[in-house]
PDB file of all heavy atoms in Angstrom:
ATOM      1  N   LYS A 177      10.120 -10.768   2.028  1.00  0.00           N
ATOM      2  CA  LYS A 177       9.002 -11.593   1.765  1.00  0.00           C
ATOM      3  C   LYS A 177       7.797 -11.083   2.671  1.00  0.00           C
ATOM      4  O   LYS A 177       6.647 -10.876   2.180  1.00  0.00           O
ATOM      5  CB  LYS A 177       9.331 -13.021   1.895  1.00  0.00           C
ATOM      6  CG  LYS A 177       8.025 -13.943   1.506  1.00  0.00           C
ATOM      7  CD  LYS A 177       8.431 -15.313   1.712  1.00  0.00           C
ATOM      8  CE  LYS A 177       7.176 -16.310   1.361  1.00  0.00           C
ATOM      9  NZ  LYS A 177       7.480 -17.738   1.522  1.00  0.00           N
ATOM     10  N   GLU A 178       8.146 -11.008   3.971  1.00  0.00           N
ATOM     11  CA  GLU A 178       7.052 -10.521   4.905  1.00  0.00           C
ATOM     12  C   GLU A 178       6.599  -9.085   4.634  1.00  0.00           C
ATOM     13  O   GLU A 178       5.419  -8.752   4.694  1.00  0.00           O
ATOM     14  CB  GLU A 178       7.582 -10.571   6.334  1.00  0.00           C
ATOM     15  CG  GLU A 178       6.626 -10.506   7.404  1.00  0.00           C
ATOM     16  CD  GLU A 178       5.767 -11.720   7.467  1.00  0.00           C
ATOM     17  OE1 GLU A 178       6.311 -12.770   7.783  1.00  0.00           O
ATOM     18  OE2 GLU A 178       4.547 -11.614   7.279  1.00  0.00           O
ATOM     19  N   LEU A 179       7.595  -8.177   4.222  1.00  0.00           N
ATOM     20  CA  LEU A 179       7.193  -6.855   3.840  1.00  0.00           C
ATOM     21  C   LEU A 179       6.209  -6.852   2.631  1.00  0.00           C
ATOM     22  O   LEU A 179       5.193  -6.053   2.712  1.00  0.00           O
ATOM     23  CB  LEU A 179       8.476  -6.041   3.366  1.00  0.00           C
ATOM     24  CG  LEU A 179       8.459  -4.567   3.438  1.00  0.00           C
ATOM     25  CD1 LEU A 179       7.935  -4.046   4.837  1.00  0.00           C
ATOM     26  CD2 LEU A 179       9.818  -4.060   3.130  1.00  0.00           C
ATOM     27  N   PHE A 180       6.486  -7.588   1.613  1.00  0.00           N
ATOM     28  CA  PHE A 180       5.572  -7.715   0.500  1.00  0.00           C
ATOM     29  C   PHE A 180       4.124  -8.278   0.883  1.00  0.00           C
ATOM     30  O   PHE A 180       3.113  -7.905   0.343  1.00  0.00           O
ATOM     31  CB  PHE A 180       6.199  -8.389  -0.725  1.00  0.00           C
ATOM     32  CG  PHE A 180       7.050  -7.468  -1.480  1.00  0.00           C
ATOM     33  CD1 PHE A 180       8.418  -7.431  -1.390  1.00  0.00           C
ATOM     34  CD2 PHE A 180       6.386  -6.750  -2.580  1.00  0.00           C
ATOM     35  CE1 PHE A 180       9.118  -6.580  -2.191  1.00  0.00           C
ATOM     36  CE2 PHE A 180       7.255  -5.917  -3.363  1.00  0.00           C
ATOM     37  CZ  PHE A 180       8.590  -5.833  -3.163  1.00  0.00           C
ATOM     38  N   SER A 181       4.205  -9.254   1.780  1.00  0.00           N
ATOM     39  CA  SER A 181       2.961  -9.829   2.307  1.00  0.00           C
ATOM     40  C   SER A 181       2.186  -8.711   2.969  1.00  0.00           C
ATOM     41  O   SER A 181       0.912  -8.646   2.773  1.00  0.00           O
ATOM     42  CB  SER A 181       3.260 -10.941   3.177  1.00  0.00           C
ATOM     43  OG  SER A 181       3.857 -12.036   2.660  1.00  0.00           O
ATOM     44  N   PHE A 182       2.734  -7.925   3.777  1.00  0.00           N
ATOM     45  CA  PHE A 182       2.093  -6.806   4.382  1.00  0.00           C
ATOM     46  C   PHE A 182       1.509  -5.826   3.460  1.00  0.00           C
ATOM     47  O   PHE A 182       0.361  -5.331   3.589  1.00  0.00           O
ATOM     48  CB  PHE A 182       3.124  -6.112   5.394  1.00  0.00           C
ATOM     49  CG  PHE A 182       2.633  -4.818   5.852  1.00  0.00           C
ATOM     50  CD1 PHE A 182       1.629  -4.616   6.731  1.00  0.00           C
ATOM     51  CD2 PHE A 182       3.325  -3.607   5.454  1.00  0.00           C
ATOM     52  CE1 PHE A 182       1.195  -3.381   7.116  1.00  0.00           C
ATOM     53  CE2 PHE A 182       2.878  -2.416   5.814  1.00  0.00           C
ATOM     54  CZ  PHE A 182       1.892  -2.255   6.707  1.00  0.00           C
ATOM     55  N   LEU A 183       2.364  -5.370   2.444  1.00  0.00           N
ATOM     56  CA  LEU A 183       1.903  -4.333   1.501  1.00  0.00           C
ATOM     57  C   LEU A 183       0.765  -4.956   0.695  1.00  0.00           C
ATOM     58  O   LEU A 183      -0.183  -4.135   0.353  1.00  0.00           O
ATOM     59  CB  LEU A 183       3.100  -3.953   0.565  1.00  0.00           C
ATOM     60  CG  LEU A 183       4.263  -3.189   1.271  1.00  0.00           C
ATOM     61  CD1 LEU A 183       5.333  -3.003   0.306  1.00  0.00           C
ATOM     62  CD2 LEU A 183       3.775  -1.908   1.844  1.00  0.00           C
ATOM     63  N   ASN A 184       0.795  -6.152   0.222  1.00  0.00           N
ATOM     64  CA  ASN A 184      -0.330  -6.658  -0.576  1.00  0.00           C
ATOM     65  C   ASN A 184      -1.586  -6.810   0.358  1.00  0.00           C
ATOM     66  O   ASN A 184      -2.756  -6.493  -0.089  1.00  0.00           O
ATOM     67  CB  ASN A 184       0.000  -8.098  -1.060  1.00  0.00           C
ATOM     68  CG  ASN A 184       1.073  -8.031  -2.211  1.00  0.00           C
ATOM     69  OD1 ASN A 184       1.105  -7.109  -2.959  1.00  0.00           O
ATOM     70  ND2 ASN A 184       1.912  -9.025  -2.228  1.00  0.00           N
ATOM     71  N   TRP A 185      -1.466  -7.170   1.586  1.00  0.00           N
ATOM     72  CA  TRP A 185      -2.593  -7.150   2.547  1.00  0.00           C
ATOM     73  C   TRP A 185      -3.159  -5.697   2.697  1.00  0.00           C
ATOM     74  O   TRP A 185      -4.381  -5.530   2.708  1.00  0.00           O
ATOM     75  CB  TRP A 185      -2.199  -7.744   3.889  1.00  0.00           C
ATOM     76  CG  TRP A 185      -3.274  -7.499   4.950  1.00  0.00           C
ATOM     77  CD1 TRP A 185      -4.349  -8.246   5.300  1.00  0.00           C
ATOM     78  CD2 TRP A 185      -3.251  -6.394   5.841  1.00  0.00           C
ATOM     79  NE1 TRP A 185      -5.012  -7.675   6.249  1.00  0.00           N
ATOM     80  CE2 TRP A 185      -4.353  -6.566   6.748  1.00  0.00           C
ATOM     81  CE3 TRP A 185      -2.394  -5.283   6.075  1.00  0.00           C
ATOM     82  CZ2 TRP A 185      -4.687  -5.668   7.686  1.00  0.00           C
ATOM     83  CZ3 TRP A 185      -2.634  -4.421   7.095  1.00  0.00           C
ATOM     84  CH2 TRP A 185      -3.812  -4.606   7.846  1.00  0.00           C
ATOM     85  N   LEU A 186      -2.254  -4.830   2.895  1.00  0.00           N
ATOM     86  CA  LEU A 186      -2.596  -3.385   3.071  1.00  0.00           C
ATOM     87  C   LEU A 186      -3.445  -2.895   1.834  1.00  0.00           C
ATOM     88  O   LEU A 186      -4.348  -2.165   2.049  1.00  0.00           O
ATOM     89  CB  LEU A 186      -1.367  -2.559   3.324  1.00  0.00           C
ATOM     90  CG  LEU A 186      -1.593  -1.181   3.755  1.00  0.00           C
ATOM     91  CD1 LEU A 186      -2.380  -1.034   5.092  1.00  0.00           C
ATOM     92  CD2 LEU A 186      -0.376  -0.329   3.858  1.00  0.00           C
ATOM     93  N   ASP A 187      -3.048  -3.266   0.772  1.00  0.00           N
ATOM     94  CA  ASP A 187      -3.798  -2.901  -0.472  1.00  0.00           C
ATOM     95  C   ASP A 187      -5.245  -3.594  -0.562  1.00  0.00           C
ATOM     96  O   ASP A 187      -6.159  -2.961  -1.004  1.00  0.00           O
ATOM     97  CB  ASP A 187      -2.987  -3.316  -1.801  1.00  0.00           C
ATOM     98  CG  ASP A 187      -3.746  -2.969  -2.975  1.00  0.00           C
ATOM     99  OD1 ASP A 187      -3.971  -1.778  -3.318  1.00  0.00           O
ATOM    100  OD2 ASP A 187      -4.023  -3.915  -3.733  1.00  0.00           O
ATOM    101  N   ALA A 188      -5.339  -4.796   0.001  1.00  0.00           N
ATOM    102  CA  ALA A 188      -6.599  -5.494  -0.194  1.00  0.00           C
ATOM    103  C   ALA A 188      -7.567  -5.271   0.982  1.00  0.00           C
ATOM    104  O   ALA A 188      -8.811  -5.406   0.765  1.00  0.00           O
ATOM    105  CB  ALA A 188      -6.288  -7.036  -0.203  1.00  0.00           C
ATOM    106  N   THR A 189      -6.990  -4.927   2.133  1.00  0.00           N
ATOM    107  CA  THR A 189      -7.873  -4.746   3.339  1.00  0.00           C
ATOM    108  C   THR A 189      -8.792  -3.535   3.235  1.00  0.00           C
ATOM    109  O   THR A 189      -8.369  -2.511   2.658  1.00  0.00           O
ATOM    110  CB  THR A 189      -7.115  -4.717   4.677  1.00  0.00           C
ATOM    111  OG1 THR A 189      -8.046  -4.661   5.730  1.00  0.00           O
ATOM    112  CG2 THR A 189      -6.220  -3.534   4.676  1.00  0.00           C
ATOM    113  N   SER A 190      -9.918  -3.575   3.877  1.00  0.00           N
ATOM    114  CA  SER A 190     -10.866  -2.420   3.927  1.00  0.00           C
ATOM    115  C   SER A 190     -10.649  -1.632   5.253  1.00  0.00           C
ATOM    116  O   SER A 190     -11.206  -0.552   5.328  1.00  0.00           O
ATOM    117  CB  SER A 190     -12.290  -2.923   3.933  1.00  0.00           C
ATOM    118  OG  SER A 190     -12.592  -3.797   5.072  1.00  0.00           O
ATOM    119  N   ARG A 191      -9.750  -2.093   6.053  1.00  0.00           N
ATOM    120  CA  ARG A 191      -9.401  -1.374   7.257  1.00  0.00           C
ATOM    121  C   ARG A 191      -8.733  -0.065   7.008  1.00  0.00           C
ATOM    122  O   ARG A 191      -8.882   0.880   7.752  1.00  0.00           O
ATOM    123  CB  ARG A 191      -8.521  -2.193   8.132  1.00  0.00           C
ATOM    124  CG  ARG A 191      -9.196  -3.440   8.769  1.00  0.00           C
ATOM    125  CD  ARG A 191     -10.240  -2.997   9.851  1.00  0.00           C
ATOM    126  NE  ARG A 191      -9.587  -2.272  10.906  1.00  0.00           N
ATOM    127  CZ  ARG A 191      -9.062  -2.854  12.013  1.00  0.00           C
ATOM    128  NH1 ARG A 191      -9.141  -4.227  12.136  1.00  0.00           N
ATOM    129  NH2 ARG A 191      -8.630  -2.211  12.994  1.00  0.00           N
ATOM    130  N   PHE A 192      -7.906  -0.035   5.965  1.00  0.00           N
ATOM    131  CA  PHE A 192      -7.213   1.257   5.549  1.00  0.00           C
ATOM    132  C   PHE A 192      -7.578   1.441   4.030  1.00  0.00           C
ATOM    133  O   PHE A 192      -7.813   0.434   3.278  1.00  0.00           O
ATOM    134  CB  PHE A 192      -5.735   1.074   5.781  1.00  0.00           C
ATOM    135  CG  PHE A 192      -5.363   0.745   7.165  1.00  0.00           C
ATOM    136  CD1 PHE A 192      -5.163  -0.516   7.548  1.00  0.00           C
ATOM    137  CD2 PHE A 192      -5.124   1.844   8.135  1.00  0.00           C
ATOM    138  CE1 PHE A 192      -4.850  -0.806   8.841  1.00  0.00           C
ATOM    139  CE2 PHE A 192      -4.835   1.502   9.401  1.00  0.00           C
ATOM    140  CZ  PHE A 192      -4.741   0.227   9.830  1.00  0.00           C
ATOM    141  N   SER A 193      -7.475   2.686   3.671  1.00  0.00           N
ATOM    142  CA  SER A 193      -7.781   3.031   2.317  1.00  0.00           C
ATOM    143  C   SER A 193      -6.556   3.171   1.324  1.00  0.00           C
ATOM    144  O   SER A 193      -6.592   3.851   0.315  1.00  0.00           O
ATOM    145  CB  SER A 193      -8.599   4.372   2.245  1.00  0.00           C
ATOM    146  OG  SER A 193      -9.732   4.279   2.972  1.00  0.00           O
ATOM    147  N   TRP A 194      -5.511   2.560   1.786  1.00  0.00           N
ATOM    148  CA  TRP A 194      -4.177   2.634   1.065  1.00  0.00           C
ATOM    149  C   TRP A 194      -4.350   1.790  -0.256  1.00  0.00           C
ATOM    150  O   TRP A 194      -4.841   0.571  -0.219  1.00  0.00           O
ATOM    151  CB  TRP A 194      -3.050   2.174   1.904  1.00  0.00           C
ATOM    152  CG  TRP A 194      -1.718   2.334   1.276  1.00  0.00           C
ATOM    153  CD1 TRP A 194      -0.991   3.456   1.239  1.00  0.00           C
ATOM    154  CD2 TRP A 194      -0.859   1.306   0.593  1.00  0.00           C
ATOM    155  NE1 TRP A 194       0.242   3.251   0.643  1.00  0.00           N
ATOM    156  CE2 TRP A 194       0.293   1.900   0.274  1.00  0.00           C
ATOM    157  CE3 TRP A 194      -1.124   0.023   0.341  1.00  0.00           C
ATOM    158  CZ2 TRP A 194       1.270   1.223  -0.439  1.00  0.00           C
ATOM    159  CZ3 TRP A 194      -0.188  -0.734  -0.312  1.00  0.00           C
ATOM    160  CH2 TRP A 194       1.041  -0.126  -0.708  1.00  0.00           C
ATOM    161  N   ILE A 195      -3.858   2.323  -1.309  1.00  0.00           N
ATOM    162  CA  ILE A 195      -3.793   1.555  -2.600  1.00  0.00           C
ATOM    163  C   ILE A 195      -2.327   1.419  -3.044  1.00  0.00           C
ATOM    164  O   ILE A 195      -1.602   2.500  -3.115  1.00  0.00           O
ATOM    165  CB  ILE A 195      -4.560   2.294  -3.758  1.00  0.00           C
ATOM    166  CG1 ILE A 195      -6.070   2.338  -3.273  1.00  0.00           C
ATOM    167  CG2 ILE A 195      -4.514   1.490  -5.155  1.00  0.00           C
ATOM    168  CD1 ILE A 195      -7.026   3.103  -4.260  1.00  0.00           C
ATOM    169  N   LYS A 196      -1.898   0.205  -3.440  1.00  0.00           N
ATOM    170  CA  LYS A 196      -0.420   0.057  -3.654  1.00  0.00           C
ATOM    171  C   LYS A 196      -0.106   0.860  -4.933  1.00  0.00           C
ATOM    172  O   LYS A 196      -0.940   0.869  -5.957  1.00  0.00           O
ATOM    173  CB  LYS A 196      -0.021  -1.429  -3.856  1.00  0.00           C
ATOM    174  CG  LYS A 196      -0.678  -2.209  -4.923  1.00  0.00           C
ATOM    175  CD  LYS A 196      -0.186  -3.567  -4.884  1.00  0.00           C
ATOM    176  CE  LYS A 196      -0.700  -4.463  -5.994  1.00  0.00           C
ATOM    177  NZ  LYS A 196      -0.290  -5.895  -5.938  1.00  0.00           N
ATOM    178  N   PRO A 197       1.040   1.464  -5.003  1.00  0.00           N
ATOM    179  CA  PRO A 197       1.349   2.327  -6.119  1.00  0.00           C
ATOM    180  C   PRO A 197       1.810   1.454  -7.349  1.00  0.00           C
ATOM    181  O   PRO A 197       2.204   0.278  -7.195  1.00  0.00           O
ATOM    182  CB  PRO A 197       2.571   3.139  -5.547  1.00  0.00           C
ATOM    183  CG  PRO A 197       3.127   2.281  -4.543  1.00  0.00           C
ATOM    184  CD  PRO A 197       2.030   1.595  -3.979  1.00  0.00           C
ATOM    185  N   ARG A 198       1.544   1.992  -8.479  1.00  0.00           N
ATOM    186  CA  ARG A 198       1.964   1.295  -9.753  1.00  0.00           C
ATOM    187  C   ARG A 198       3.474   1.055  -9.716  1.00  0.00           C
ATOM    188  O   ARG A 198       4.250   1.941  -9.450  1.00  0.00           O
ATOM    189  CB  ARG A 198       1.567   2.134 -10.960  1.00  0.00           C
ATOM    190  CG  ARG A 198       1.809   1.458 -12.325  1.00  0.00           C
ATOM    191  CD  ARG A 198       1.274   2.233 -13.429  1.00  0.00           C
ATOM    192  NE  ARG A 198       2.000   3.457 -13.582  1.00  0.00           N
ATOM    193  CZ  ARG A 198       1.778   4.509 -14.436  1.00  0.00           C
ATOM    194  NH1 ARG A 198       0.742   4.241 -15.273  1.00  0.00           N
ATOM    195  NH2 ARG A 198       2.435   5.574 -14.513  1.00  0.00           N
ATOM    196  N   GLY A 199       3.929  -0.077 -10.079  1.00  0.00           N
ATOM    197  CA  GLY A 199       5.381  -0.448 -10.100  1.00  0.00           C
ATOM    198  C   GLY A 199       5.894  -1.126  -8.874  1.00  0.00           C
ATOM    199  O   GLY A 199       7.053  -1.388  -8.727  1.00  0.00           O
ATOM    200  N   LEU A 200       4.998  -1.288  -7.825  1.00  0.00           N
ATOM    201  CA  LEU A 200       5.405  -1.915  -6.647  1.00  0.00           C
ATOM    202  C   LEU A 200       6.026  -3.307  -6.744  1.00  0.00           C
ATOM    203  O   LEU A 200       7.060  -3.632  -6.250  1.00  0.00           O
ATOM    204  CB  LEU A 200       4.154  -2.023  -5.598  1.00  0.00           C
ATOM    205  CG  LEU A 200       4.460  -2.671  -4.240  1.00  0.00           C
ATOM    206  CD1 LEU A 200       5.384  -1.779  -3.484  1.00  0.00           C
ATOM    207  CD2 LEU A 200       3.133  -2.954  -3.441  1.00  0.00           C
ATOM    208  N   ASP A 201       5.329  -4.099  -7.649  1.00  0.00           N
ATOM    209  CA  ASP A 201       5.824  -5.452  -7.835  1.00  0.00           C
ATOM    210  C   ASP A 201       7.169  -5.548  -8.650  1.00  0.00           C
ATOM    211  O   ASP A 201       7.750  -6.630  -8.733  1.00  0.00           O
ATOM    212  CB  ASP A 201       4.758  -6.340  -8.658  1.00  0.00           C
ATOM    213  CG  ASP A 201       3.497  -6.486  -7.850  1.00  0.00           C
ATOM    214  OD1 ASP A 201       3.588  -6.509  -6.563  1.00  0.00           O
ATOM    215  OD2 ASP A 201       2.384  -6.530  -8.458  1.00  0.00           O
ATOM    216  N   GLN A 202       7.596  -4.326  -9.215  1.00  0.00           N
ATOM    217  CA  GLN A 202       8.807  -4.388  -9.977  1.00  0.00           C
ATOM    218  C   GLN A 202      10.019  -3.872  -9.166  1.00  0.00           C
ATOM    219  O   GLN A 202      11.205  -3.782  -9.650  1.00  0.00           O
ATOM    220  CB  GLN A 202       8.717  -3.442 -11.173  1.00  0.00           C
ATOM    221  CG  GLN A 202       8.025  -4.085 -12.498  1.00  0.00           C
ATOM    222  CD  GLN A 202       6.592  -4.391 -12.237  1.00  0.00           C
ATOM    223  OE1 GLN A 202       5.801  -3.507 -11.818  1.00  0.00           O
ATOM    224  NE2 GLN A 202       6.131  -5.578 -12.532  1.00  0.00           N
ATOM    225  N   ILE A 203       9.792  -3.639  -7.891  1.00  0.00           N
ATOM    226  CA  ILE A 203      10.893  -3.209  -6.983  1.00  0.00           C
ATOM    227  C   ILE A 203      11.846  -4.367  -6.859  1.00  0.00           C
ATOM    228  O   ILE A 203      11.572  -5.506  -6.647  1.00  0.00           O
ATOM    229  CB  ILE A 203      10.371  -2.799  -5.582  1.00  0.00           C
ATOM    230  CG1 ILE A 203       9.431  -1.606  -5.643  1.00  0.00           C
ATOM    231  CG2 ILE A 203      11.532  -2.516  -4.622  1.00  0.00           C
ATOM    232  CD1 ILE A 203       8.848  -1.141  -4.343  1.00  0.00           C
ATOM    233  N   SER A 204      13.204  -4.002  -7.104  1.00  0.00           N
ATOM    234  CA  SER A 204      14.150  -5.092  -7.024  1.00  0.00           C
ATOM    235  C   SER A 204      14.324  -5.723  -5.645  1.00  0.00           C
ATOM    236  O   SER A 204      14.331  -4.966  -4.624  1.00  0.00           O
ATOM    237  CB  SER A 204      15.576  -4.473  -7.388  1.00  0.00           C
ATOM    238  OG  SER A 204      16.598  -5.462  -7.289  1.00  0.00           O
ATOM    239  N   ARG A 205      14.373  -6.938  -5.575  1.00  0.00           N
ATOM    240  CA  ARG A 205      14.578  -7.682  -4.251  1.00  0.00           C
ATOM    241  C   ARG A 205      15.995  -8.320  -4.165  1.00  0.00           C
ATOM    242  O   ARG A 205      16.136  -9.253  -3.262  1.00  0.00           O
ATOM    243  CB  ARG A 205      13.549  -8.862  -4.211  1.00  0.00           C
ATOM    244  CG  ARG A 205      12.065  -8.334  -4.383  1.00  0.00           C
ATOM    245  CD  ARG A 205      11.072  -9.356  -4.079  1.00  0.00           C
ATOM    246  NE  ARG A 205       9.667  -8.983  -4.503  1.00  0.00           N
ATOM    247  CZ  ARG A 205       8.624  -9.688  -4.143  1.00  0.00           C
ATOM    248  NH1 ARG A 205       8.685 -10.823  -3.503  1.00  0.00           N
ATOM    249  NH2 ARG A 205       7.494  -9.262  -4.546  1.00  0.00           N
ATOM    250  N   LYS A 206      16.874  -7.932  -5.016  1.00  0.00           N
ATOM    251  CA  LYS A 206      18.211  -8.544  -5.018  1.00  0.00           C
ATOM    252  C   LYS A 206      18.880  -8.198  -3.671  1.00  0.00           C
ATOM    253  O   LYS A 206      18.985  -7.069  -3.233  1.00  0.00           O
ATOM    254  CB  LYS A 206      18.989  -7.914  -6.107  1.00  0.00           C
ATOM    255  CG  LYS A 206      20.416  -8.628  -6.287  1.00  0.00           C
ATOM    256  CD  LYS A 206      21.183  -8.019  -7.486  1.00  0.00           C
ATOM    257  CE  LYS A 206      22.469  -8.685  -7.646  1.00  0.00           C
ATOM    258  NZ  LYS A 206      23.202  -8.140  -8.892  1.00  0.00           N
ATOM    259  N   ILE A 207      19.414  -9.218  -3.023  1.00  0.00           N
ATOM    260  CA  ILE A 207      20.093  -9.140  -1.780  1.00  0.00           C
ATOM    261  C   ILE A 207      21.571  -8.818  -2.006  1.00  0.00           C
ATOM    262  O   ILE A 207      22.309  -9.459  -2.840  1.00  0.00           O
ATOM    263  CB  ILE A 207      19.983 -10.354  -0.899  1.00  0.00           C
ATOM    264  CG1 ILE A 207      18.516 -10.915  -0.873  1.00  0.00           C
ATOM    265  CG2 ILE A 207      20.559 -10.226   0.451  1.00  0.00           C
ATOM    266  CD1 ILE A 207      17.603 -10.034  -0.134  1.00  0.00           C
ATOM    267  N   ALA A 208      22.129  -7.826  -1.185  1.00  0.00           N
ATOM    268  CA  ALA A 208      23.490  -7.540  -1.304  1.00  0.00           C
ATOM    269  C   ALA A 208      24.365  -8.665  -0.810  1.00  0.00           C
ATOM    270  O   ALA A 208      23.912  -9.489   0.040  1.00  0.00           O
ATOM    271  CB  ALA A 208      23.821  -6.344  -0.335  1.00  0.00           C
ATOM    272  N   GLU A 209      25.463  -8.828  -1.553  1.00  0.00           N
ATOM    273  CA  GLU A 209      26.407  -9.966  -1.321  1.00  0.00           C
ATOM    274  C   GLU A 209      27.605  -9.451  -0.650  1.00  0.00           C
ATOM    275  O   GLU A 209      28.211  -8.424  -1.133  1.00  0.00           O
ATOM    276  CB  GLU A 209      26.713 -10.710  -2.656  1.00  0.00           C
ATOM    277  CG  GLU A 209      27.355 -12.008  -2.442  1.00  0.00           C
ATOM    278  CD  GLU A 209      27.475 -12.776  -3.771  1.00  0.00           C
ATOM    279  OE1 GLU A 209      27.478 -12.177  -4.712  1.00  0.00           O
ATOM    280  OE2 GLU A 209      27.393 -14.065  -3.656  1.00  0.00           O
ATOM    281  N   LEU A 210      28.181 -10.108   0.407  1.00  0.00           N
ATOM    282  CA  LEU A 210      29.333  -9.680   1.133  1.00  0.00           C
ATOM    283  C   LEU A 210      30.607 -10.218   0.369  1.00  0.00           C
ATOM    284  O   LEU A 210      30.500 -11.247  -0.380  1.00  0.00           O
ATOM    285  CB  LEU A 210      29.338 -10.110   2.546  1.00  0.00           C
ATOM    286  CG  LEU A 210      28.085  -9.801   3.413  1.00  0.00           C
ATOM    287  CD1 LEU A 210      28.262 -10.383   4.776  1.00  0.00           C
ATOM    288  CD2 LEU A 210      28.062  -8.267   3.537  1.00  0.00           C
ATOM    289  N   ASP A 211      31.720  -9.590   0.590  1.00  0.00           N
ATOM    290  CA  ASP A 211      33.004  -9.954  -0.067  1.00  0.00           C
ATOM    291  C   ASP A 211      33.302 -11.350   0.282  1.00  0.00           C
ATOM    292  O   ASP A 211      33.763 -12.086  -0.554  1.00  0.00           O
ATOM    293  CB  ASP A 211      34.047  -9.013   0.312  1.00  0.00           C
ATOM    294  CG  ASP A 211      33.930  -7.635  -0.276  1.00  0.00           C
ATOM    295  OD1 ASP A 211      33.147  -7.465  -1.274  1.00  0.00           O
ATOM    296  OD2 ASP A 211      34.447  -6.590   0.222  1.00  0.00           O
ATOM    297  N   VAL A 212      33.083 -11.746   1.580  1.00  0.00           N
ATOM    298  CA  VAL A 212      33.475 -13.150   2.061  1.00  0.00           C
ATOM    299  C   VAL A 212      32.592 -14.174   1.351  1.00  0.00           C
ATOM    300  O   VAL A 212      32.993 -15.207   1.098  1.00  0.00           O
ATOM    301  CB  VAL A 212      33.349 -13.187   3.581  1.00  0.00           C
ATOM    302  CG1 VAL A 212      31.903 -13.024   4.054  1.00  0.00           C
ATOM    303  CG2 VAL A 212      33.911 -14.470   4.055  1.00  0.00           C
ATOM    304  N   GLU A 213      31.402 -13.734   1.118  1.00  0.00           N
ATOM    305  CA  GLU A 213      30.451 -14.737   0.402  1.00  0.00           C
ATOM    306  C   GLU A 213      30.888 -14.885  -1.075  1.00  0.00           C
ATOM    307  O   GLU A 213      30.731 -16.011  -1.635  1.00  0.00           O
ATOM    308  CB  GLU A 213      29.001 -14.226   0.545  1.00  0.00           C
ATOM    309  CG  GLU A 213      28.502 -14.207   1.907  1.00  0.00           C
ATOM    310  CD  GLU A 213      27.107 -13.482   1.991  1.00  0.00           C
ATOM    311  OE1 GLU A 213      26.801 -12.637   1.088  1.00  0.00           O
ATOM    312  OE2 GLU A 213      26.473 -13.717   3.050  1.00  0.00           O
TER     313      GLU A 213
END
């Protein structure tokens, strides 16, 4: 969640000229599940 907050800010800020790539929001956020879980 913090990582996506950073990337969205990086895309919006004028401090850097980075533009988020197409498909960023479709990156899977599924968390790996351990066997014990």
Side-chain angles (χ1 to χ4, degrees):
K177 182 179 178 181
E178 194 70 65
L179 195 57
F180 273 96
S181 295
F182 163 69
L183 294 173
N184 288 328
W185 166 84
L186 187 60
D187 175 64
T189 184
S190 59
R191 290 289 299 270
F192 302 93
S193 301
W194 186 81
I195 299 175
K196 65 180 181 181
R198 187 176 62 180
L200 179 69
D201 296 331
Q202 277 69 52
I203 294 177
S204 174
R205 306 186 190 190
K206 185 178 180 180
I207 309 297
E209 194 170 30
L210 304 178
D211 291 339
V212 66
E213 293 170 342

